[in-house]
């Protein structure tokens, strides 16, 4: 029984959850030296690289170099490129817009705000939808639109919200 727990604890999936928990502010301070950077700062380094050089240039080695770290030291913050990308997307899209008004108003406000984030960071269209958002800003974007659609009486607000997101992110392609 103990060995099964050890395997789960050391799996990459659980380490990516640790990064997300930190982003959500759900982890306590750990013993040892305080990290030099926050996860948001690590994500912003990746965002800078993606904005300037394209998503294909974002590697753990390049982000570590940008931060003045070794690649091994970066593993203290993120366990894999997929985790880094997930954090980058959440930080790049920023806070969700406040939605009010008619159905048309709230959809327009949401779509225009989402479009601005995609235009500011064109590489967002290259990051595939692997799962539903797990970071605080990604969930807030989805939640704001779903709540607005549900409040306006739209059937299947989650399905419509997902379609709108795909439409906005897929249009530039």
């Amino acid at each position: 029984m103990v060995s099964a727990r050890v395997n789960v604890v050391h799996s990459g999936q659980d380490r990516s959850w640790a990064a997300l928990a930190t982003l959500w502010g759900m982890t306590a301070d750990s013993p040892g030296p305080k990290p030099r950077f926050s996860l948001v700062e690590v994500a912003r380094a990746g965002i800078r690289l993606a904005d300037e050089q394209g998503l294909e240039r974002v590697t753990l080695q390049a982000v570590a170099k940008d931060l003045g770290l070794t690649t091994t030291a970066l593993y203290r913050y993120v366990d894999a490129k997929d985790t880094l990308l997930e954090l980058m997307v959440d930080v790049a899209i920023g806070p969700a817009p406040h939605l009010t008004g008619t159905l048309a108003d709230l959809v327009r406000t949401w779509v225009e705000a989402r479009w601005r984030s995609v235009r500011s960071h064109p590489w967002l269209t290259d990051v595939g939808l692997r799962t539903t958002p797990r970071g605080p800003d990604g969930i807030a974007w989805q939640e704001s639109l779903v709540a607005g659609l549900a409040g306006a009486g739209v059937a299947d607000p989650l399905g419509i919200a997902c379609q709108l997101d795909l439409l906005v992110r897929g249009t530039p392609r």
Side-chain angles (χ1 to χ4, degrees):
M1 188 65 148
V2 171
S3 63
R5 176 72 180 137
V6 169
N7 289 337
V8 169
V9 169
H10 294 291
S11 75
Q13 183 178 10
D14 286 310
R15 286 194 311 260
S16 71
W17 277 107
L20 286 166
T22 301
L23 192 61
W24 278 91
M26 295 172 46
T27 56
D29 290 335
S30 60
K34 182 177 166 109
R36 284 177 49 196
F37 302 100
S38 70
L39 280 177
V40 171
E41 291 170 316
V42 171
R44 285 187 181 138
I47 291 166
R48 266 192 314 277
L49 286 169
D51 287 347
E52 294 169 5
Q53 301 176 21
L55 189 61
E56 66 280 353
R57 299 288 190 169
V58 176
T59 63
L60 294 180
Q61 182 179 11
V63 171
K65 183 178 178 183
D66 185 76
L67 293 169
L69 298 171
T70 64
T71 306
T72 305
L74 187 64
Y75 282 107
R76 177 176 187 179
Y77 302 93
V78 294
D79 64 324
K81 184 175 178 179
D82 284 346
T83 304
L84 175 63
L85 290 175
E86 189 169 11
L87 297 174
M88 287 170 54
V89 168
D90 199 69
V91 171
I93 62 173
H98 179 69
L99 303 178
T100 59
T102 66
L103 176 60
D105 292 336
L106 67 91
V107 168
R108 184 179 308 106
T109 299
W110 191 92
V111 168
E112 287 173 351
R114 189 74 162 131
W115 179 248
R116 278 191 303 277
S117 70
V118 169
R119 291 199 34 116
S120 296
H121 307 290
W123 54 268
L124 284 170
T125 63
D126 296 330
V127 180
L129 272 179
R130 294 179 184 100
T131 63
T132 57
R134 299 187 300 171
D137 286 334
I139 288 177
W141 275 82
Q142 193 170 32
E143 181 182 39
S144 72
L145 183 56
V146 169
L149 293 171
V154 171
D156 190 20
L158 178 58
I160 298 298
C162 290
Q163 291 299 316
L164 283 170
D165 187 46
L166 286 171
L167 178 67
V168 171
R169 290 192 312 125
T171 298
R173 286 184 171 192

